[in-house]
Amino acid sequence: MLVNSPDPVIDANLAIALDALLAEHSVTRAAARLHTSPAAMSRTLARLRRILQDPLLVRAGQTMVPTPRAQALRDEAAAVVRSLGALLSPGTGVDPADLSRTFTLQAADLVGAALAPRLLQLAEQEAPGVSFWLRAEELEAGSALRDGRVDLEIGPIDHVDPETQVEELVSLRMVAAVRPGHHLTEEPLTPARLAAAQHVAVSRRGLFAGPLDTALAEQNLRRRVSVVLPSHLAAMALAARSDIVCLVPAALPGADPSPLTADATTLGLHLLDIPLALPPLTISMAWHPRHTSDGAHRWLRNAIRRTLRTPKSPTTSSDTREP
C-alpha cells in the first residue's frame, strides 16, 4: 500500500542510497561510497525512513544494525541498482554470429545486383543468421526509413528528410556501353557521334532526358532516346543485343573497378569514355538516426561499405570509422 508522502517514491537516487546504506550499515561509509557528505546521506536516510515507514538502521552500541525490513530489502535493492546500471550503460557490442535478423534494403536493380553476392558472402562468413530483402525503389525513402519499412536506402540520395543520416560511399562516372562490333567502337568517340546513335534511358518515371542531354545541348547536339526502361539491367541486356547505347556507372580514373560495372562486363559490353563533362554519380546509404547506435545495423552499414567502397574511394563521414 502506497503511503501519501511529499517525497517521490520512484527515485533512482533513493534506490542507490538505500543499497549503499544496507550494504555498509553506516551513514559515513555509505556517504563515502557514493561520494557525498555524511550530512546529506543522513538526510537521505531520513527520507527513506519516512517513505518505507521503517527505521531501516538502528543504533546497537557503536554500530548500526539493519531492521528485519531492511534485511528483507537488501538483495532486492542491490538487484534494482544493478538493473539501473545496465539500463543506463552504453550499449554493448553485438556479435554478428549471434544475429538472427532480416534487413530490408531499398536500391536500384543495378546496385542490388552489385550488393547481393558480396553481402551474402559476408553474411555467410560473419552473420549466418542474417538475411536480406532487397526492394526496388518503390517506397518514398524518408517515410519508409522513418517508419521502419526500410532499414537502409542505397543509391543516389537526393530526397531525404532533415533527420536522415546519409553517408557517401563512392563517386562514379557514367560511360557509354555498347555491344562488341558496334560502330561507335571503330573510331574515337566524339559528342556528335554519340548523339547520332540510338539510346536507351533508364527512368522509373519515364523521363527521356538526363545529364547527358544537358551536356549535349551545350554542344548544340541532341541525342535520340528510342526507349525508356525502368531497369538498368534490362537496358544493358538490350544494349548487348542491339545497336542501342546505354549508360553504365564506372570507377573514376585511377580507382579500382567498381562492382556496379561488373554486370556490364559480364554481358560483354564495351565501355567508352564520354567526351563531355558530366556530373559524377555519388552512391550513398541513408538510414534513420534511431538505428545509428544499434549494433546489428552498424554491422550492416559496415558490410555495405566493404561491398561497394573501393580502396581508393574517398570517405566523407565520421560514421566510416565504425568498427
Side-chain angles (χ1 to χ4, degrees):
M1 177 177 177
L2 292 177
V3 178
N4 292 329
S5 169
D7 296 294
V9 176
I10 301 176
D11 186 330
N13 290 324
L14 286 179
I16 294 169
L18 178 62
D19 174 53
L21 286 163
L22 298 185
E24 299 293 344
H25 295 178
S26 165
V27 170
T28 301
R29 291 196 298 271
R33 176 171 170 170
L34 299 183
H35 307 287
T36 188
S37 68
M41 183 57 67
S42 182
R43 291 192 295 270
T44 300
L45 175 58
R47 291 182 63 193
L48 287 166
R49 285 168 168 166
R50 290 196 302 270
I51 292 170
L52 297 174
Q53 293 189 326
D54 188 273
L56 299 175
L57 296 174
V58 296
R59 181 70 58 184
Q62 297 300 314
T63 63
M64 300 188 76
V65 295
T67 65
R69 177 76 188 281
Q71 290 177 325
L73 289 174
R74 178 173 177 173
D75 290 344
E76 185 176 352
V80 167
V81 171
R82 286 195 300 271
S83 296
L84 284 171
L87 177 65
L88 299 178
S89 296
T92 57
V94 171
D95 185 351
D98 296 332
L99 291 178
S100 179
R101 181 165 170 178
T102 297
F103 290 110
T104 302
L105 314 178
Q106 178 160 291
D109 63 330
L110 185 61
V111 177
L115 276 173
R118 178 62 175 147
L119 268 183
L120 291 174
Q121 182 183 30
L122 286 173
E124 182 178 358
Q125 294 171 349
E126 302 173 10
V130 163
S131 55
F132 305 96
W133 178 18
L134 271 72
R135 302 186 67 150
E137 297 172 296
E138 57 190 357
L139 301 175
E140 184 180 346
S143 60
L145 291 170
R146 190 185 313 116
D147 61 26
R149 286 176 293 163
V150 172
D151 291 301
L152 206 62
E153 183 183 16
I154 305 135
I157 308 294
D158 57 4
H159 50 261
V160 296
D161 292 334
E163 75 270 16
T164 303
Q165 300 291 305
V166 179
E167 178 185 330
E168 292 184 8
L169 296 169
V170 62
S171 289
L172 304 169
R173 62 194 174 107
M174 301 305 292
V175 298
V178 297
R179 65 168 179 81
H182 193 284
H183 66 87
L184 289 183
T185 65
E186 296 172 357
E187 299 177 21
L189 187 62
T190 64
R193 295 185 69 230
L194 179 62
Q198 293 189 68
H199 291 255
V200 55
V202 178
S203 172
R204 291 179 295 109
R205 294 178 292 170
L207 301 179
F208 279 71
L212 177 58
D213 299 277
T214 301
L216 286 170
E218 293 176 355
Q219 304 285 326
N220 294 318
L221 296 170
R222 182 178 180 180
R223 67 171 176 161
R224 179 188 173 193
V225 176
S226 300
V227 60
V228 176
L229 295 175
S231 162
H232 294 84
L233 295 177
M236 290 192 298
L238 176 62
R241 294 168 174 81
S242 69
D243 285 336
I244 289 283
V245 178
C246 75
L247 299 182
V248 172
L252 296 175
D256 289 342
S258 168
L260 271 71
T261 316
D263 288 293
T265 303
T266 300
L267 287 169
L269 293 173
H270 285 245
L271 305 183
L272 305 174
D273 289 337
I274 296 175
L276 294 165
L278 298 180
L281 173 68
T282 300
I283 302 297
S284 304
M285 59 180 171
W287 67 93
H288 193 272
R290 72 175 180 275
H291 293 307
T292 297
S293 298
D294 176 61
H297 204 277
R298 287 168 65 94
W299 176 86
L300 172 65
R301 299 196 300 270
N302 195 20
I304 297 297
R305 292 185 196 101
R306 288 181 284 165
T307 298
L308 288 185
R309 180 175 289 148
T310 57
K312 296 180 182 179
S313 300
T315 59
T316 58
S317 169
S318 60
D319 197 36
T320 61
R321 294 192 295 268
E322 292 179 334

